[in-house]
Amino acid sequence: MAWSAVVPPDRRSQILALVTQIADRATSDRYGPAARWNLSSGQAGEALLLSWLTAAGVADHGDAATELLIDAFEGAAGDEPARASFFSGMSGIGFVIEQHTCLTSRSLPGDPCSQIDEALTDLLESWTWTGDYDLVDGLVGVGIYCLARLPRRSAARAVERIVRLLDEGAEAVGPGVAWFTPPEELPPHQVAEFPQGFYNLGVAHGVPGVISFLAQACASGVARSGTEQLVEGAVAWLLDQRVTNTASAFPYSVAPGIEPKPARSAWCYGDPGVAAVLVLAGQVMGRSGWRNAGLAVARNAALRPPGGTGVVDAGLCHGAGGLAQIFNRLFHATGDELFALSARSWLASTVEMTNGTPGRVNGTGFLEGTSGVGLALLAATTPLEPAWDAALAISTYGWAPLR
């Protein structure tokens, strides 16, 4: 169904006023420290919001977005060593530049995306499998950027290379394949709990993110040989991890000899994010079984009592804004009013948290801050389809079958 505002007309002006306030803060926000240029928490995330506001016709912040992206690119280019990471490095900034250019028709000087493409090509050729495969900092995140750059041949070659690396790292487990996270890739608090490593079930750091990328790579026509079988194996393994005796169908992770923990409701971990990925993979690859499995999980997640979801903040990553965006996306994929009702409920919580107690929004960035909140609110109040959520691996952007 065509994208439309999910909130009633009498609420839209109030919500757009809040988005405008968020954008006004971003236009005057010029950070110096290198930690502030990235997509996750810095200038690139702010620029993404300003670009989409401009495209939606709410306000023309295109020039301000351009300035923020110039600062972000220069900051990233000066970082030693340069990081490929999607949410903390060059590929995420490139993703925003690509969308900004298409949305506002404003180009950055020096064609920075071509420079990023060249650097990533060199990096991927020397990249060896170590387990760093995830969306936030690993191969999948770089792949999401490369998908956005299709049908350029350099992007197609990069996508093919990432698929090969993921194939190299895939392990035959149970009914399918999965990607193991070794202890050296874990932060100290997780090493203490999982000294031998684990299989991660979150979109942000685990197998669902791989499924989204591989399904899109296969459906784009870029990397069909062997990729379809790889996606099938990954989905089979993921669905085999469902549990029935907890509040969530999918736990945070699985590891031999360790009882899985029920996950909160979120994009990064838990049923909503996993469901959105299954629906997307089913749609782009024409697999109704995957789509239906994802929708069943999503409907149960939509019915989960708010007090039992673990939501305590407004951000996209693990907050109300992320749930609002996921259920909004699922509503537009299905027309199911249950998802619309859930999206509206979480939008109301997002507005309340953003306007309310301090600490419910973490900074001004995309994943946990006001820029991500603003994008979710904008998606609920305008008829412009929010393809920015391709950054969350729950929608497509940029790719089309190559001729």
Side-chain angles (χ1 to χ4, degrees), residues 5-340:
V6 73
V7 297
D10 61 345
R11 293 286 317 284
R12 293 174 198 167
S13 59
Q14 175 195 3
I15 293 175
L16 284 175
L18 177 57
V19 178
T20 300
Q21 292 174 21
I22 292 170
D24 288 343
R25 288 195 293 269
T27 58
S28 60
D29 200 8
R30 303 296 292 273
Y31 294 103
R36 298 299 306 179
W37 46 251
N38 61 44
L39 172 57
S40 174
S41 59
Q43 292 169 309
E46 294 172 329
L48 188 61
L49 170 62
L50 298 180
S51 297
W52 279 90
L53 272 170
T54 302
V58 176
D60 188 351
H61 290 305
D63 290 340
T66 300
E67 292 176 8
L68 285 169
L69 285 171
I70 290 172
D71 283 356
F73 177 73
E74 291 176 350
D79 195 23
E80 291 292 341
R83 300 189 65 183
S85 164
F86 190 73
F87 281 108
S88 300
M90 296 294 290
S91 58
I93 293 172
F95 177 89
V96 179
I97 293 172
E98 178 69 23
Q99 289 210 348
H100 169 72
T101 302
C102 293
L103 291 167
T104 70
S105 300
R106 291 170 169 89
S107 300
L108 272 67
D111 192 10
C113 279
S114 292
Q115 297 179 52
I116 293 172
D117 292 351
E118 183 177 351
L120 289 177
T121 297
D122 293 341
L123 177 63
L124 288 169
E125 287 303 315
S126 62
W127 196 314
T128 56
W129 180 260
T130 60
D132 49 348
Y133 70 87
D134 73 356
L135 169 58
V136 170
D137 282 316
L139 283 168
V140 169
V142 177
I144 292 296
Y145 164 70
C146 294
L147 287 171
R149 292 284 286 168
L150 292 177
R152 297 170 182 84
R153 290 293 173 181
S154 60
R157 288 194 295 271
V159 168
E160 291 171 346
R161 173 62 177 163
I162 292 168
V163 170
R164 288 198 298 272
L165 286 166
L166 289 170
D167 186 34
E168 179 184 327
E171 299 180 7
V173 188
V177 298
W179 289 262
F180 186 71
T181 303
E184 56 267 26
E185 293 292 327
L186 297 175
H189 73 278
Q190 288 186 323
V191 173
E193 187 176 2
F194 302 96
Q196 304 303 316
F198 58 55
Y199 296 96
N200 194 304
L201 293 178
V203 177
H205 296 290
V207 173
V210 182
I211 289 172
S212 176
F213 166 73
L214 289 176
Q216 293 184 66
C218 185
S220 72
V222 174
R224 294 201 67 88
S225 179
T227 309
E228 188 169 1
Q229 183 177 0
L230 199 58
V231 184
E232 289 172 346
V235 173
W237 179 86
L238 178 65
L239 293 177
D240 194 53
Q241 307 314 307
R242 287 174 293 187
V243 293
T244 58
N245 59 344
T246 68
S248 61
F250 291 96
Y252 287 101
S253 59
V254 292
I258 298 177
E259 187 71 20
K261 291 183 178 179
R264 60 187 170 189
S265 286
W267 164 74
C268 55
Y269 287 96
D271 292 355
V274 175
V277 164
L278 287 171
V279 171
L280 173 64
Q283 286 177 333
V284 300
M285 293 191 65
R287 302 300 182 89
S288 59
W290 301 353
R291 184 177 186 273
N292 291 338
L295 290 176
V297 172
R299 291 187 180 102
N300 285 334
L303 295 171
R304 190 171 179 178
T309 60
V311 173
V312 297
D313 62 12
L316 292 178
C317 185
H318 43 258
L323 293 182
Q325 182 62 25
I326 288 172
F327 287 121
N328 196 3
R329 174 63 68 180
L330 290 169
F331 166 63
H332 281 89
T334 64
D336 189 332
E337 188 63 22
L338 172 63
F339 296 137

Side-chain angles (χ1 to χ4, degrees), residues 383-400:
L384 184 63
E385 183 171 358
W388 56 264
D389 64 4
L392 301 176
I394 63 173
S395 73
T396 65
Y397 177 80
W399 58 266

